[in-house]
Amino acid sequence: MSDVTRTGNKAVVTPSRNITAGMTDSLRKELKSLLDEGVTDLTIDFSRVEMLDSVGIGLLIAAHNSLLKEGAVLRLTGVNQDVMGLLSTMRLTSHFSIHSSHPS
Amino acid sequence: MDDEILLMFQEDTRESLAGVEARLLDIEEAGEDHDPELVHEVFRSAHSIKGSAGFLALDTIRDLSHKIETVLDMMRTQELQPTKGVINVVLGAFDRLGELVEDLAHSNLMDVSDHVQALMALASGSLPPERQQSVTTMRRVAFPDGRTGFEVSEHDLARARVGGNYLYLVEYDLIHDLQRKEQTPFDLLAVLGKSGMVLDCRVDLGAVGDLGQAPANYVPMYLLFACILEPDMVKAVLQVDQERIHTVPVEGEGSTQADPTLTQGSLLSPAAPVLDMEAPLPQEDNSLDPDELAAMEREFDLAMAKQTGGASGDVALGPESEPQAGETVSGEESAPLETIADSPEQEATGFEHQGNGDKGSLLLRGALTIDRAQELKQALLAALDTSKQVDLEFRDVVSVDLAALQLLIAAFQSGKARGIGVSCVGDLGPLLDFARSTGFTSDTVKLYGMESFLPSEA
């Protein structure tokens, strides 16, 4: 279960643990639900995420693709060095808006 | 900019561009007597920048370096002479490329149209009128699901097929094929560049789907890859399962429909996977397994049967379909390969073969790479037909790539089946270094009983 802060069409989702296969189903439902409710400005706060596996990467790209249809960009904040390295290697940094700092 | 990969690309590109101007000026000064290797070097710079920029989605850099590459390739094939005017256009384009590389963040928005037009004019102007349009006529190569994958000019397609190359659409998974093996896409591009030509590269995030679709844990990266290796052999170089290697049909054969978005374009759908290999390659290491060796042996024997048993004097070791488009662009038809019986000493190969019925020696020279796979194959066939013991002399060999290593191993296996000894002798440093890098170690040599083939590694 994630913490969700919602303001209008803006939402910040803070997953409570690493984004790996065991939790992606619930996170997917949470994200989809937010998008279905009209959220177009979506930020995922990685401050409690230390690790991302392949299923997690797939989920992030799926969220990115959903937002893209609305002309929006997926934002990631609080990203640690390891996750940043992974996203950079896969060149996802050019598609997502990524910050190592926490959301304001 | 905190993107390490972009910084790495920037640094590598600066380094690559540093020597380009001096080389181009040397080429211009020497005119028709220029050193072809200089043109190769400049070409390789442009080609390498294009490949990396494609993966990084630096589209303007990719397009400009691509056009530079096209002109340099025409200089390589002597379709275009390096006159002062030609060199000036190329120099100007490289200068602009340098400016783009210094401002990667905005490079996709920077205007390069003047340079592109000048380069295209050089390229098409050097071709006969009937072929000039091939530079601007685009065809598309579709992904397996039918979506447009790559848009490639007819000229580039033809160029890719020159020399009997096959064209492959290859699907990698960034997660499982690269990241989990601690490889970067650049590593892959560098490796493949040694065995063939990467025409284009694209990461396909769209294939992953969205939140409304079933979860996917893969990120496809497609490569358009030209290589002399035939469909049942190329897997060893590409290192992915056979079902993810699609052979792109020769232009004209696979065209199915006009593409209204492109000038006179047509769809080149990649064919279904051509062959099912009997066993997949090991996923975690690159060592050659027995099935792979057996496959190489069968391939080599098949080629040998074609060479020695066929009644016809013309033997095609390349694609079964002649590379028609390649012939038209290069202006040179692929020379029919001579049968061994017609030319037992293989004088044209550049490899010197001496010997008699008992013992022979094949002197190998220079870089044994995919570019010379055909001639190496012929030289090996000739040597096996002549002597009961063949020494492959490596003293003048400077490097070896995977295609050459495969052929050498195939020669050993074929020789073994026929009671002919094949041994590598001389300075085996380059061979052993490369063999080890592919996982072909002393254990492998012992495992397959190849001590007589690679004695230094036993």
Side-chain angles (χ1 to χ4, degrees):
Chain A
M1 197 68 181
S2 310
D3 294 337
V4 179
T5 310
R6 178 86 186 269
T7 314
N9 66 348
K10 184 175 176 182
V12 177
V13 177
T14 308
S16 58
R17 55 196 174 102
N18 292 335
I19 303 180
T20 52
M23 65 81 78
T24 48
D25 275 351
S26 59
L27 181 58
R28 173 183 292 271
K29 283 175 190 157
E30 289 170 352
L31 296 178
K32 186 170 186 314
S33 167
L34 287 169
L35 265 55
D36 289 345
E37 290 168 18
V39 167
T40 54
D41 187 339
L42 179 64
T43 299
I44 301 179
D45 179 2
F46 271 59
S47 54
R48 286 184 282 187
V49 176
E50 292 179 352
M51 207 181 83
L52 187 64
D53 73 359
S54 59
V55 183
I57 292 170
L59 175 60
L60 293 184
I61 296 173
H64 159 78
N65 287 342
S66 289
L67 285 164
L68 206 58
K69 291 177 184 170
E70 308 298 327
V73 174
L74 175 64
R75 296 179 216 279
L76 309 181
T77 57
V79 176
N80 73 22
Q81 204 170 353
D82 288 343
V83 172
M84 181 68 98
L86 172 64
L87 296 173
S88 173
T89 301
M90 302 191 65
R91 196 56 204 145
L92 294 172
T93 45
S94 66
H95 299 279
F96 308 157
S97 171
I98 304 180
H99 300 279
S100 52
S101 57
H102 292 261
S104 53
Chain B
M1 185 166 59
D2 57 359
D3 189 321
E4 279 183 28
I5 284 201
L6 277 181
L7 285 171
M8 196 192 312
F9 168 76
Q10 193 175 46
E11 200 171 309
D12 289 349
T13 306
R14 279 181 191 141
E15 202 173 299
S16 178
L17 292 175
V20 161
E21 182 175 353
R23 289 191 183 93
L24 283 171
L25 292 174
D26 284 347
I27 292 166
E28 180 193 332
E29 193 177 346
E32 289 186 12
D33 299 326
H34 67 269
D35 179 358
E37 184 52 33
L38 285 179
V39 181
H40 283 304
E41 286 173 12
V42 182
F43 171 85
R44 279 196 292 269
S45 294
H47 181 72
S48 151
I49 294 167
K50 182 194 80 172
S52 301
F55 167 67
L56 294 168
L58 298 168
D59 294 340
T60 307
I61 291 178
R62 170 181 162 276
D63 289 347
L64 183 57
S65 52
H66 180 192
K67 298 298 183 297
I68 296 174
E69 179 197 28
T70 300
V71 167
L72 289 167
D73 187 56
M74 290 180 144
M75 283 166 55
R76 288 203 309 176
T77 55
Q78 299 187 339
E79 290 171 288
L80 189 61
Q81 289 302 318
T83 62
K84 186 171 184 182
V86 169
I87 294 294
N88 278 345
V89 169
V90 177
L91 270 174
F94 267 117
D95 283 347
R96 183 62 173 155
L97 199 55
E99 291 169 9
L100 298 181
V101 169
E102 292 308 316
D103 190 6
L104 290 180
H106 301 102
S107 65
N108 278 355
L109 300 173
M110 293 164 78
D111 182 21
V112 295
S113 54
D114 287 352
H115 296 283
V116 167
Q117 281 169 16
L119 291 162
M120 298 275 277
L122 281 182
S124 61
S126 68
L127 292 170
E130 68 274 15
R131 289 179 5 219
Q132 289 183 357
Q133 208 163 1
S134 69
V135 176
T136 51
T137 301
M138 306 299 283
R139 285 175 179 263
R140 67 188 181 105
V141 177
F143 285 156
D145 61 6
R147 288 173 304 128
T148 296
F150 297 104
E151 293 175 0
V152 194
S153 74
E154 285 190 345
H155 174 80
D156 286 337
L157 283 171
R159 186 165 63 92
R161 291 195 188 277
V162 166
N165 276 348
Y166 289 85
L167 193 57
Y168 298 102
L169 177 72
V170 193
E171 180 184 350
Y172 286 91
D173 175 3
L174 278 180
I175 293 174
H176 299 92
D177 294 328
L178 297 177
Q179 195 266 328
R180 283 196 182 167
K181 294 178 182 175
E182 296 184 352
Q183 270 195 325
T184 71
F186 296 126
D187 297 331
L188 177 70
L189 293 175
V191 167
L192 293 182
K194 290 177 184 168
S195 301
M197 179 166 69
V198 179
L199 274 76
D200 213 339
C201 165
R202 185 170 148 188
V203 177
D204 184 21
L205 294 189
V208 178
D210 60 24
L211 290 173
Q213 294 170 276
N217 66 337
Y218 72 100
V219 182
M221 179 176 82
Y222 288 97
L223 293 182
L224 199 55
F225 181 65
C227 177
I228 199 170
L229 290 176
E230 298 174 25
D232 56 342
M233 295 279 282
V234 75
K235 194 181 96 163
V237 172
L238 296 171
Q239 300 280 305
V240 289
D241 291 340
Q242 191 74 30
E243 62 263 27
R244 289 196 275 150
I245 304 170
H246 306 276
T247 306
V248 180
V250 173
E251 293 74 63
E253 292 179 2
S255 301
T256 56
Q257 67 182 54
D259 180 350
T261 63
L262 300 168
T263 307
Q264 298 180 9
S266 58
L267 178 69
L268 278 180
S269 296
V274 176
L275 287 175
D276 290 326
M277 296 294 280
E278 291 172 2
L281 279 180
Q283 293 299 309
E284 298 303 326
D285 66 54
N286 294 326
S287 60
L288 298 165
D289 69 13
D291 289 330
E292 201 66 29
L293 284 172
M296 288 179 196
E297 185 183 356
R298 282 196 300 277
E299 168 65 18
F300 196 76
D301 285 341
L302 185 63
M304 185 175 293
K306 284 181 186 172
Q307 287 279 11
T308 57
S312 165
D314 295 347
V315 179
L317 292 178
E320 289 176 11
S321 306
E322 288 298 313
Q324 300 150 354
E327 293 165 4
T328 58
V329 164
S330 69
E332 297 172 2
E333 291 198 1
S334 300
L337 298 170
E338 291 180 311
T339 60
I340 297 302
D342 290 340
S343 180
E345 295 304 315
Q346 287 296 304
E347 291 174 359
T349 65
F351 299 126
E352 191 178 330
H353 177 222
Q354 295 176 333
N356 53 35
D358 290 329
K359 191 169 174 65
S361 172
L362 181 63
L363 178 59
L364 306 172
R365 294 192 182 95
L368 303 184
T369 60
I370 187 79
D371 300 338
R372 303 172 70 201
Q374 292 276 27
E375 60 177 315
L376 176 59
K377 195 174 192 177
Q378 286 197 322
L380 291 167
L381 286 164
L384 286 181
D385 270 355
T386 308
S387 308
K388 290 179 182 169
Q389 167 62 40
V390 177
D391 285 348
L392 304 176
E393 174 56 67
F394 274 74
R395 67 171 179 262
D396 293 332
V397 171
V398 295
S399 65
V400 177
D401 76 358
L402 190 54
L405 180 62
Q406 285 180 23
L407 283 171
L408 295 168
I409 294 169
F412 167 75
Q413 297 284 21
S414 289
K416 190 175 171 187
R418 296 166 59 190
I420 299 167
V422 178
S423 303
C424 299
V425 301
D427 177 10
L428 301 182
L431 173 66
L432 295 178
D433 287 348
F434 180 77
R436 287 186 199 114
S437 75
T438 66
F440 201 92
T441 63
S442 54
D443 290 339
T444 322
V445 167
K446 285 175 187 159
L447 183 64
Y448 300 121
M450 300 176 72
E451 291 89 340
S452 63
F453 174 67
L454 266 181
S456 302
E457 195 68 352

